[in-house]
Amino acid sequence: MKKLVRMDDLQVFVSTVDSGSFSAAARQLDISPALASAAVLRLERNLGIRLLVRSTRRLRLSDEGLRYLPYARQALEALDDGEAALEQGRDEIAGPLRLALSSDLGRNVLLPWLDEFQARHPRIILDLRLSDQVADLFGDRLDASIRYGQLADSSLVALPLLPDNRRTLCAAPSYIARHGAPRTPQELIGRNCLRYVMGEQTHDRWGFLTPDGLQTVVVNGDRVCDDADVVRRWALAGLGVVYKSRLDVLEDLRSGRLVELFPAQYGLPAPLQLVCVHRQAVTPALQLLRGFLLERLSDLGA
């Protein structure tokens, strides 16, 4: 039966060749010269070959030792690489993870999931920025943002989370009981439509993919906010009609707190993505987070 080679014996052999003597190798490795000599003898015995030719004045490699030396070096380098990879992996799932989240999605969907993710990886420090404004990944030194929509900046990298997500028009049962349900996009004119603001722009042009093609309606209402979670709360209170990402209101729809007013295919696409500044910024921590979020979204059946 073939005997196992000890990695520490390989290290002594390589150090002896590099330094030229057992005593010099022993000093480098902080062992005695006798232990260094015994390690090489044990290696030769396990391999069944003579690696070093010894004389009273010097050591030299045998022909077999010369052929074996590069493989010994390779084995030691592979071991070092493996240890470095493990250490790197430990380091990369520790420390701050700086994320920008949209307000409604962040508070009502992602926050409990991120708590669970952090419980799995307790060395991660979550640093969250909740806002419906587009995050400046470069300027704010963020690792990533989780947001809806297509990228306007093609230099960023978007990793899909929920590519088939759409917007949905909905209202509370109490609003429908008082005002009835609109049957076409044009019937939204004159309705109290709850709108949100991003930057200086009020989102009052609502588009729908009807069987007759894209129809866009300019809507109005008595409430506008730059926080989409507030707009959702107004809808839940029965104060108007809202046009939101279906993921944001999925639990409200399932519970009956909100009702979808148009068929699902009418809603414009609102793909959910994990956005980073460049491909190299997709760290192992972000890869873990994306995999975790994909699991949760699949469980949700969104």
Side-chain angles (χ1 to χ4, degrees):
M1 187 172 104
K2 188 174 181 179
K3 294 185 178 179
L4 295 176
V5 170
R6 291 171 48 166
M7 296 303 292
D8 52 348
D9 291 349
L10 281 181
Q11 183 64 71
V12 173
F13 167 59
V14 172
S15 296
T16 300
V17 173
D18 290 343
S19 63
S21 70
F22 288 122
S23 57
R27 284 193 298 273
Q28 290 177 2
L29 300 173
D30 196 24
I31 59 176
S32 69
L35 282 177
S37 177
V40 175
L41 283 171
R42 181 169 53 240
L43 179 61
E44 289 176 326
R45 187 164 56 249
N46 287 339
L47 293 172
I49 59 172
R50 173 72 63 89
L51 295 171
L52 297 173
V53 178
R54 301 157 176 82
S55 70
T56 56
R57 292 180 176 270
R58 58 190 292 269
L59 295 172
R60 67 175 177 83
L61 282 167
S62 66
D63 291 342
E64 292 87 351
L66 190 61
R67 289 195 298 271
Y68 185 71
L69 179 62
Y71 297 100
R73 292 190 191 280
Q74 186 177 10
L76 292 171
E77 289 170 3
L79 183 64
D80 289 341
D81 290 345
E83 292 176 352
L86 287 174
E87 189 59 36
Q88 184 182 29
R90 295 188 194 102
D91 292 342
E92 287 170 334
I93 57 171
L97 186 57
R98 296 173 287 269
L99 301 173
L101 314 174
S102 59
S103 64
D104 199 353
L105 177 74
R107 290 189 183 97
N108 300 308
V109 179
L110 294 179
L111 190 58
W113 293 354
L114 290 173
D115 289 340
E116 184 181 352
F117 177 75
Q118 191 177 32
R120 291 189 184 184
H121 306 283
R123 296 178 65 197
I124 286 179
I125 301 169
L126 285 177
D127 185 346
L128 305 181
R129 312 296 167 86
L130 268 68
S131 172
D132 285 319
Q133 309 310 306
V134 176
D136 181 356
L137 296 181
F138 289 97
D140 294 336
R141 302 184 64 176
L142 297 169
D143 295 304
S145 67
I146 299 174
R147 70 191 199 197
Y148 296 114
Q150 301 296 337
L151 291 182
D153 185 348
S154 60
S155 68
L156 300 175
V157 173
L159 304 176
L161 292 173
L162 192 61
D164 298 330
N165 187 57
R166 290 178 175 269
R167 301 180 69 81
T168 185
L169 185 76
C170 49
S174 60
Y175 177 88
I176 297 171
R178 293 194 309 274
H179 303 284
R183 293 166 297 178
T184 68
Q186 293 303 318
E187 290 187 20
L188 290 172
I189 297 173
R191 296 275 182 157
N192 197 41
C193 294
L194 308 170
R195 297 160 296 153
Y196 72 97
V197 179
M198 181 177 290
E200 300 298 321
Q201 181 182 4
T202 299
H203 283 253
D204 56 4
R205 297 178 63 85
W206 292 2
F208 301 92
L209 299 172
T210 71
D212 298 323
L214 175 64
Q215 292 188 26
T216 301
V217 181
V218 179
V219 300
N220 213 326
D222 64 3
R223 285 173 171 79
V224 182
C225 186
D226 65 350
D227 188 319
D229 184 35
V230 171
V231 177
R232 170 179 160 272
R233 291 171 187 240
W234 285 336
L236 289 170
L239 299 175
V241 178
V242 71
Y243 191 36
K244 286 190 55 73
S245 158
R246 195 169 191 277
L247 178 60
D248 286 352
V249 295
L250 184 63
E251 292 304 321
D252 298 322
L253 296 173
R254 287 176 172 173
S255 68
R257 293 188 295 266
L258 292 176
V259 177
E260 287 186 274
L261 301 175
F262 290 167
Q265 64 268 23
Y266 277 32
L268 291 181
L272 182 65
Q273 306 180 98
L274 180 70
V275 180
C276 305
V277 291
H278 48 70
R279 184 67 60 180
Q280 289 72 27
V282 185
T283 63
L286 282 178
Q287 291 173 354
L288 282 173
L289 176 62
R290 184 187 178 220
F292 175 80
L293 293 177
L294 288 171
E295 288 179 15
R296 286 291 163 271
L297 289 165
S298 177
D299 293 343
L300 193 64

